[in-house]
Amino acid sequence: MKLGLLLLAALPIATYAQDSIAVSSSSEYPNTFSSGSANVQTFDNKARRFNDWSISVGGGAAFMTQSDLTSFYDKKVNWGYNSYVSIDKQISHTFGLSIIYQRGETNQKGMLEGVSGQLAGVGVAKTKYNQIALLGDVNFSNILRRVDNHSPYRWALHGYGGIGLMNYNTSLHDNNEYRWSTTPARIPLFIDQKLDINSIYYQFGIGLKYNVSKLIDIEARTMYIISGDDEFDGGGWASPNDYNPNSTVSRYNMINDRRSDNMWTVNLGLSFKLGKHMSHLAWHDPLQEAYYRTNVLENASTDFVVCEKGDNDNDGVCDDWDRELNTPAGARVDGAGVALDMDLDGVIDLYDKCVTVPGPAENNGCPTK
């Protein structure tokens, strides 16, 4: 019974309650009512204010770092290269997504301990890789931008993070087990990792972009790549049996306890912004724009000029809207500047001797007897 009374009382409220600024829904704007805004329009290419697609290319150096065989060995740097191309979509002014393809090569060295190291000398490895990934892009400069900064900005700090798949080919040479030899029969160690579910890798990094023009950005970017694979540096196979310390086979994979060979890249690149608009969404700060427009309104002139044309007949009504520009001096006028004629006899009150009684002009507005 109480529930029924409650529903009965709530029914009129539910029926008539609505947002005071909401407008009726229609087939053209099906979400108009729920949005609570009467200022709605379709969002299509014509409604866009900013470009949001770009193509990026770049290249630079690549190094095998946290691994068994490294690019930084014996106080020397073994240089490799990395190149990339990506298709970038800006989702909002602070976040974007990219499909990125990377290709490169690293060179690394390492040495076994004890007698094995003395026999083998310094092992030299090479890794050639191809990677494709989905990369997220966070614009830190837009997130941390001051609200009182009304100037445009041309430098932006970006953070990146993503996941992908890769394939790679490695080779390992030394002076003992992994050398070209017919007696005894020996060959270097080669590993070929195919592009499959077992070749997942992760990467993250930062980049500093400079807005050259509405068409081009340049960027310095550094990325750290986590392979999740102990074979990526070319140090050998990484099945459980390959970590047996009592084995007589060379165990380059046991030089470092880590089970993930990681890589570091440093690149310089260009982004070509696609579209016909003057600005790209990545360089737009909506909060700064709102503050800027508020500032413009606050500093706009509010002077209101009246009687621009003056009051030539001095009747107190500006000539801008005076319907009778030659009102006689001393005559009372209405709001339109027309001389008053209370009895409507055609003689204005200034000359009418009988203001309340109609009469002809020749009798000064008084009736004849």
Side-chain angles (χ1 to χ4, degrees), residues 70-362:
T70 73
S71 298
F72 304 97
Y73 182 78
D74 195 23
K75 299 181 180 180
K76 296 181 181 179
V77 179
N78 299 281
W79 293 84
Y81 77 89
N82 177 73
S83 59
Y84 70 88
V85 60
S86 67
I87 299 176
D88 316 313
K89 168 66 174 177
Q90 196 69 28
I91 307 300
S92 71
H93 66 290
T94 60
F95 180 72
L97 287 173
S98 300
I99 297 293
I100 185 170
Y101 168 72
Q102 298 179 115
R103 179 184 179 88
E105 178 181 308
T106 62
N107 295 286
Q108 50 271 1
K109 294 181 179 180
M111 186 173 181
L112 299 169
E113 294 181 350
V115 177
S116 297
Q118 295 176 2
L119 294 174
V122 177
V124 178
K126 185 187 299 290
T127 301
K128 296 181 179 181
Y129 61 87
N130 294 277
Q131 300 171 331
I132 185 168
L134 179 65
L135 194 65
D137 174 3
V138 177
N139 188 338
F140 291 119
S141 292
N142 243 339
I143 294 176
L144 303 176
R145 184 144 166 84
R146 288 176 59 96
V147 297
D148 58 350
N149 189 346
H150 295 167
S151 62
Y153 69 107
R154 304 185 73 88
W155 293 94
L157 180 66
H158 288 249
Y160 300 99
I163 185 172
L165 299 174
M166 67 177 173
N167 78 287
Y168 59 83
N169 296 282
T170 69
S171 62
L172 172 63
H173 300 74
D174 64 13
N175 295 327
N176 186 26
E177 183 177 356
Y178 299 123
R179 72 180 192 272
W180 291 106
S181 173
T182 55
T183 306
R186 291 177 178 176
I187 61 171
L189 175 61
F190 298 100
I191 296 177
D192 182 14
Q193 172 62 55
K194 302 299 183 182
L195 187 73
D196 58 28
I197 195 64
N198 295 319
S199 62
I200 294 177
Y201 76 97
Y202 309 90
Q203 62 179 339
F204 59 89
I206 58 173
L208 185 62
K209 279 189 175 183
Y210 179 72
N211 185 13
V212 177
S213 69
K214 70 175 185 177
L215 298 178
I216 297 176
D217 294 340
I218 61 174
E219 179 183 22
R221 179 188 298 185
T222 180
M223 302 293 294
Y224 189 74
I225 296 170
I226 302 174
S227 73
D229 191 336
D230 205 14
E231 300 172 0
F232 187 49
D233 65 347
W237 304 104
S239 63
N241 295 331
D242 294 309
Y243 295 101
N244 183 1
N246 298 320
S247 174
T248 57
V249 180
S250 298
R251 290 287 180 261
Y252 284 93
N253 272 352
M254 296 181 66
I255 295 177
N256 192 314
D257 292 336
R258 294 177 179 269
R259 294 295 180 261
S260 175
D261 298 329
N262 303 333
M263 184 176 69
W264 174 45
T265 63
V266 180
N267 295 315
L268 186 64
L270 293 173
S271 292
F272 300 95
K273 294 171 280 191
L274 308 178
K276 61 181 180 180
H277 299 290
M278 289 299 297
S279 180
H280 194 276
L281 184 56
W283 293 101
H284 174 62
D285 181 359
L287 184 59
Q288 183 267 344
E289 180 183 11
Y291 273 82
Y292 175 75
R293 292 190 177 188
T294 302
N295 182 70
V296 170
L297 292 174
E298 289 176 347
N299 292 279
S301 175
T302 57
D303 294 337
F304 182 67
V305 180
V306 296
C307 282
E308 184 177 355
K309 297 179 181 180
D311 181 14
N312 293 321
D313 55 8
N314 295 314
D315 61 358
V317 179
C318 296
D319 290 352
D320 302 69
W321 50 83
D322 196 333
R323 294 175 57 190
E324 188 176 71
L325 297 175
N326 57 350
T327 305
R332 295 184 300 164
V333 297
D334 61 13
V338 178
L340 293 176
D341 180 11
M342 294 293 290
D343 54 11
L344 302 176
D345 58 2
V347 181
I348 63 174
D349 294 350
L350 178 64
Y351 304 130
D352 199 332
K353 300 299 183 181
C354 300
V355 176
T356 60
V357 181
E362 58 269 18

Side-chain angles (χ1 to χ4, degrees), residues 6-29:
L6 179 61
L7 293 175
L8 185 62
L11 182 60
I13 300 175
T15 303
Y16 293 103
Q18 60 178 346
D19 190 337
S20 61
I21 61 172
V23 297
S24 300
S25 178
S26 67
S27 59
E28 186 175 4
Y29 305 121

